[in-house]
Amino acid sequence: MKRIFAGMAAALLAAVSFFPMRVQALSAQKAILMDAQTGRVLYEREADSRSLIASTTKIMTALVICEQCNVLDRVRIPKEAVGIEGSSMYLREGEILTVQELLYGLMLHSGNDAAVALAVYCGGTVEGFAGLMNDKAHKLGLTGTHFENPNGLDSPHHYSTARDLAVLAAYAMENPIFAKTVSTKTVRAGERTLRNHNKLLWRLEGADGVKTGFTKAAGRILVSSAVRQERRLVAVTINAPNDWQDHCDLMEIGFHDFSVKKLISKGKIVGEVEIAGGESGVVTLVASEDFYFAMADGEEASAVYSGSGFVYAPVVKGANAGYLHICLGDKTVGVVPLVYGDTVEQVKIKKESIWAKLFGKGDA
């Protein structure tokens, strides 16, 4: 293994010693900062602890609507969507708005009534729509999450974690309709002018979402997204009295102290293995895809090959050759598929005929 990957660790030098301790003053009880492109968690605090999540629930509500409905459809507001407790866009029974207008009311004005109107329109009932939300959570691997309603009103069986909310937000921001909705500062929706409650859109460079939340039981919750130089960070704080500042601090450190590095390039020879019974003694191993990761200056990654130290001939160029595990310390942070860089045929042993064996070659 050492001979095969001599020099690999040096080639992968790029970035933290882990997240600097400049966030000790963070007000949040639970928090996470994630690089959306690579999935690397740059900072976390009790990120897997389940909590009430208030109106950040509406991230999933909006995502399901964006994926399953036509935003140009017109919706007649049903009676059950009128007079919902909490934040509201003050819908009237029988009023007609488009799905997009209701999405603006949902995500900018945090309308609990908009959430119910969209849920009934898409899922038939609030309960039916909650089922769609939980199905999506399962598909995204959000193991610490369960939804009972589309608006986030407190319920003991309605919860998520900072990590799950970050994964959800990073995924949702890839949807262009969702991203356009949550990045909008002000908009007309029917007869209403709506202004986004997310103050980071005005305060933080590159901010483009995502959602605020608050109930007395849950405290202040904030999910944010920001993009600088085509790099997106997602932050989540739960029960954070000073959440606006928390997110500004997290984002500034994340953008300043970390950068995305290409650690492995597709087509790059990363090592070689010995071949038994081949026309050549070794065969090269080639990365079949690029691998990027968020790193800090001075941080060192290493690479470990998962295959054995040798293979039997023949091998075919481009065939699966195992995997390269990229590690930070003792933690695997990524896996790169490998292929063989050459075709190596099996050595053909010339066999003597039975007559030659019995009588020899004879005299000339």
Side-chain angles (χ1 to χ4, degrees):
M1 188 71 68
K2 291 181 179 178
R3 189 184 68 79
I4 294 169
F5 285 97
M8 174 57 70
L12 292 178
L13 279 178
V16 189
S17 26
F18 294 101
F19 203 84
M21 300 309 293
R22 304 207 305 269
V23 292
Q24 289 289 355
L26 210 67
S27 75
Q29 180 184 13
K30 304 163 189 179
I32 194 168
L33 177 67
M34 177 184 294
D35 180 271
Q37 178 185 352
T38 66
R40 182 176 186 184
V41 173
L42 307 180
Y43 173 81
E44 61 180 287
R45 175 187 290 179
E46 295 187 40
D48 295 309
S49 177
R50 294 178 178 179
S51 305
L52 298 172
I53 57 170
S55 286
T56 56
T57 295
K58 292 163 185 166
I59 298 171
M60 179 63 86
T61 303
L63 175 62
V64 173
I65 294 297
C66 288
E67 291 187 340
Q68 299 199 18
C69 299
N70 186 334
V71 295
L72 299 179
D73 284 353
R74 293 164 64 83
V75 179
R76 185 178 294 276
I77 305 304
K79 181 178 181 179
E80 55 264 49
V82 177
I84 306 299
E85 67 174 292
S87 55
S88 178
M89 65 178 297
Y90 303 104
L91 294 173
R92 300 183 298 272
E93 182 180 356
E95 180 180 7
I96 297 176
L97 294 171
T98 65
V99 170
Q100 181 63 78
E101 288 173 326
L102 289 170
L103 281 173
Y104 283 131
L106 178 78
M107 301 305 285
L108 275 65
H109 230 246
S110 202
N112 291 340
D113 50 356
V116 173
L118 288 167
V120 172
Y121 176 75
C122 182
T125 64
V126 167
E127 294 74 19
F129 187 78
L132 297 178
M133 297 170 73
N134 288 317
D135 287 345
K136 189 65 182 181
H138 177 73
K139 290 177 182 177
L140 292 177
L142 309 184
T143 57
T145 297
H146 186 265
F147 298 105
E148 285 203 333
N149 60 65
N151 44 38
L153 293 176
D154 294 335
S155 169
H157 302 294
H158 187 103
Y159 53 80
S160 189
T161 68
R163 191 182 312 278
D164 280 2
L165 286 175
V167 171
L168 171 61
Y171 176 87
M173 290 301 290
E174 295 178 2
N175 183 294
I177 298 173
F178 180 96
K180 176 179 180 294
T181 301
V182 299
S183 63
T184 298
K185 293 181 177 180
T186 59
V187 71
R188 289 284 295 177
E191 301 171 357
R192 304 163 180 83
T193 298
L194 305 176
R195 180 179 171 87
N196 203 317
H197 290 177
N198 183 2
K199 296 180 181 179
L200 292 179
L201 296 178
W202 289 268
R203 295 185 181 183
L204 177 66
E205 178 190 351
D208 61 353
V210 176
K211 189 69 187 74
T212 60
F214 172 78
T215 66
K216 289 183 179 180
R220 293 180 61 87
I221 304 172
L222 181 59
V223 180
S224 70
S225 166
V227 175
R228 297 180 191 173
Q229 298 180 336
E230 300 184 352
R231 179 180 170 220
R232 181 184 304 280
L233 298 183
V234 173
V236 180
T237 54
I238 296 176
N239 194 8
N242 195 18
D243 51 5
W244 305 120
Q245 189 60 51
D246 284 353
H247 282 246
C248 288
D249 292 344
L250 287 169
M251 290 292 189
E252 291 301 334
I253 295 173
F255 281 118
H256 181 270
D257 290 15
F258 293 81
S259 59
V260 173
K261 308 286 186 180
K262 180 189 279 191
L263 301 187
I264 297 291
S265 297
K266 181 179 180 179
K268 179 181 176 62
I269 296 174
V270 297
E272 60 185 27
V273 292
E274 295 178 354
I275 297 182
E279 293 180 343
S280 172
V282 295
V283 62
T284 57
L285 301 173
V286 177
S288 63
E289 60 186 43
D290 294 330
F291 181 78
Y292 294 85
F293 204 61
M295 308 283 279
D297 290 339
E299 191 170 30
E300 181 178 347
S302 60
V304 178
Y305 177 51
S306 65
S308 61
F310 73 97
V311 293
Y312 290 101
V315 298
V316 178
K317 182 177 180 178
N320 177 34
Y323 298 91
L324 190 67
H325 291 253
I326 311 301
C327 304
L328 287 179
D330 59 357
K331 182 179 180 181
T332 297
V333 297
V335 178
V336 179
L338 302 178
V339 296
Y340 294 115
D342 307 283
T343 294
V344 180
E345 301 290 350
Q346 190 174 21
V347 173
K348 296 180 180 179
I349 301 175
K350 185 177 181 180
K351 295 183 178 180
E352 291 185 291
S353 70
I354 186 66
W355 301 108
K357 290 181 179 179
L358 289 173
F359 303 110
K361 295 181 180 180
D363 296 328

